[in-house]
Amino acid sequence: MTQEISNLSGEAISLLKELIGTPSFSSEENETALLLEQWFRDHDITFHRENNNVYAFNKHYDQNKPHLLLNSHHDTVKPNSGYTRDPFKAEIKDGKLYGLGSNDAGGALVSLLAAFTYFYKKQDLSHNLIIVASAEEESSGSKGLNSMLEILPEIDVAIVGEPTLMQLAIAEKGLVVFDAEVSGTPSHAAHPNSNNAIYNCIDVLSWFKNFNFPKVSEVLGEVKLTVTQIKGGNQHNVVPAGVDLVIDVRVNDCYTNNDIARILKDQAPCKLTPRSLHLNSSAIPKDHPLVKSGMALGRSTYGSPTLSDQAALSCPSLKMGPGDSTRSHSADEYIYMAEIEEGIELYINLLIGFLQKTTS
């Protein structure tokens, strides 16, 4: 590790400590946006802000070159009840940096900031570099990365920073959430009723349990359909008119979200209403130069079951970052300091390999 990269690593970890100490729930990221603005000022980088999204372009921007987006988010979920530590106090113990958002996705965000800063003043890059520290990722809100795509130039390829142990997530499942209604006939519990909505749920739940989408992705596997919520009735002596279900569908790259909605609405034995169809699956070809650059560094490829801001992008995108996805949204969240240091160096080497290959 060169002295320049070592210095950037130290500064990135200091920034992450500040971010942890600053609450930034989705749509409430103003204070962390100010911290990110200060990073750019401290490194003499021209930056812009749109709502709580902070973004910048490399110094020698050339509109005739393709665009590579570096993106991660600075919002967090709310801490769960299992925390034994102060979620807003950055603490280091046994090489671990504890705190809410340390792993998801603070480590990836500060590592990408460091990598962008490393390349900011360099000339003769094959691509323009754009970094967006985005808001509202955890809530899939309307003022996050999706809103930035109307402002930014067309993106040709992207790296989305999320905890992947710095392995290469070359595909990501999409998401469709359905509200389902199982109907019946309301009645007094003391009277006969052959159309009890709660009993009708037995066959409906069995149908969802056994239903399979036939197309299986080489990278992402099967579409995963799960009933996650059920609600019906509010009095012990009244049979309700209906029971509400929530269906969570994780979509592979063999289907669009519109395909999933059409198939289920045609075949499911109950009324279904999708909440949204915009969180589609995403992928990047395994032979893409960006992926090849990562593989040359000993990184492996896989398909990710979790959702990120990749869902907002229509270009080839790679999900990669320090930290472990299994720690995300967990109590006493943490990231290893060494993971951040490794992440910054790997991001830089990944980009060096990509920019050299695409230039030659």
Side-chain angles (χ1 to χ4, degrees):
M1 181 183 292
T2 67
Q3 189 59 49
E4 180 183 5
I5 297 175
S6 179
N7 291 341
L8 284 169
S9 295
E11 293 172 8
I13 290 171
S14 295
L15 174 60
L16 180 53
K17 291 177 182 177
E18 292 185 90
L19 292 170
I20 290 170
T22 308
S24 56
F25 306 135
S26 290
S27 77
E28 301 174 19
E29 310 96 342
N30 178 65
E31 297 303 313
T32 48
L34 294 175
L35 293 175
L36 296 168
E37 289 182 12
Q38 192 59 48
W39 170 281
F40 290 122
R41 290 192 188 96
D42 290 344
H43 292 88
D44 195 26
I45 295 173
T46 301
F47 68 91
H48 311 273
R49 178 168 171 176
E50 182 71 20
N51 295 311
N52 290 328
N53 304 286
V54 186
Y55 64 106
F57 302 82
N58 59 291
K59 185 172 183 177
H60 301 286
Y61 180 88
D62 181 346
Q63 64 181 1
N64 296 314
K65 292 181 179 180
H67 298 91
L68 168 59
L69 172 68
L70 308 178
N71 164 250
S72 192
H73 63 95
H74 60 107
D75 64 317
T76 73
V77 296
K78 293 185 177 180
N80 65 52
S81 60
Y83 264 83
T84 63
R85 299 170 176 270
D86 182 347
F88 303 111
K89 183 178 180 181
E91 294 183 294
I92 298 174
K93 185 177 181 181
D94 299 328
K96 300 175 182 177
L97 174 57
Y98 287 91
L100 181 66
S102 57
N103 182 78
D104 183 17
L109 174 61
V110 299
S111 297
L112 281 174
L113 278 169
F116 175 83
T117 302
Y118 177 87
F119 286 98
Y120 174 68
K121 295 180 180 179
K122 296 191 182 302
Q123 301 186 47
D124 300 323
L125 300 177
S126 64
H127 287 60
N128 293 307
L129 296 183
I130 305 172
I131 188 163
V132 176
S134 54
E136 299 191 8
E137 189 272 347
E138 296 290 2
S139 62
S140 299
S142 61
K143 294 181 179 179
L145 179 63
N146 52 344
S147 68
M148 294 299 301
L149 300 179
E150 302 173 359
I151 298 170
L152 299 174
E154 184 177 355
I155 305 301
D156 296 277
V157 63
I159 299 174
V160 176
E162 290 282 346
T164 71
L165 294 171
M166 289 306 288
Q167 305 303 330
L168 311 171
I170 60 173
E172 174 185 275
K173 283 189 173 180
L175 170 66
V176 188
V177 177
F178 292 90
D179 291 302
E181 181 181 341
V182 181
S183 59
T185 302
S187 70
H188 194 290
H191 299 155
N193 186 343
S194 61
N195 190 31
N196 185 315
I198 295 176
Y199 293 159
N200 291 346
C201 281
I202 296 172
D203 289 339
V204 173
L205 291 171
S206 179
W207 187 90
F208 281 119
K209 180 181 178 182
N210 295 315
F211 182 81
N212 290 300
F213 291 89
K215 296 179 183 178
V216 179
S217 167
E218 181 179 347
V219 179
L220 292 173
E222 298 179 339
V223 174
K224 179 73 164 58
L225 183 154
T226 309
V227 179
T228 57
Q229 291 177 260
I230 183 168
K231 180 181 179 181
N234 53 28
Q235 292 180 242
H236 77 88
N237 58 351
V238 177
V239 175
V243 175
D244 296 323
L245 308 175
V246 175
I247 318 297
D248 179 296
V249 185
R250 304 289 166 153
V251 185
N252 66 23
D253 52 344
C254 299
Y255 298 90
T256 67
N257 288 357
N258 282 313
D259 292 335
I260 296 295
R262 176 181 51 78
I263 291 168
L264 287 181
K265 290 173 76 172
D266 286 348
Q267 299 186 36
C270 62
K271 181 181 177 181
L272 285 175
T273 305
R275 294 182 181 178
S276 170
L277 295 174
H278 72 275
L279 300 175
N280 282 289
S281 62
S282 53
I284 186 170
K286 196 170 182 177
D287 61 356
H288 191 284
L290 189 62
V291 178
K292 286 184 173 181
S293 180
M295 293 174 69
L297 298 171
R299 304 292 94 188
S300 60
T301 61
Y302 75 103
S304 174
T306 57
L307 198 69
S308 74
D309 267 335
Q310 275 186 293
L313 300 171
S314 58
C315 64
S317 57
L318 172 68
K319 183 161 71 176
M320 179 184 185
D324 188 336
S325 180
T326 61
R327 300 179 209 145
S328 299
H329 304 181
S330 64
D332 297 337
E333 182 183 348
Y334 68 89
I335 189 168
Y336 285 98
M337 307 273 282
E339 289 177 322
I340 298 173
E341 294 165 354
E342 177 195 42
I344 292 170
E345 192 164 22
L346 280 171
Y347 275 143
I348 289 172
N349 288 330
L350 172 80
L351 290 171
I352 289 173
F354 172 67
L355 297 174
Q356 286 177 344
K357 288 178 181 177
T358 53
T359 302
S360 59

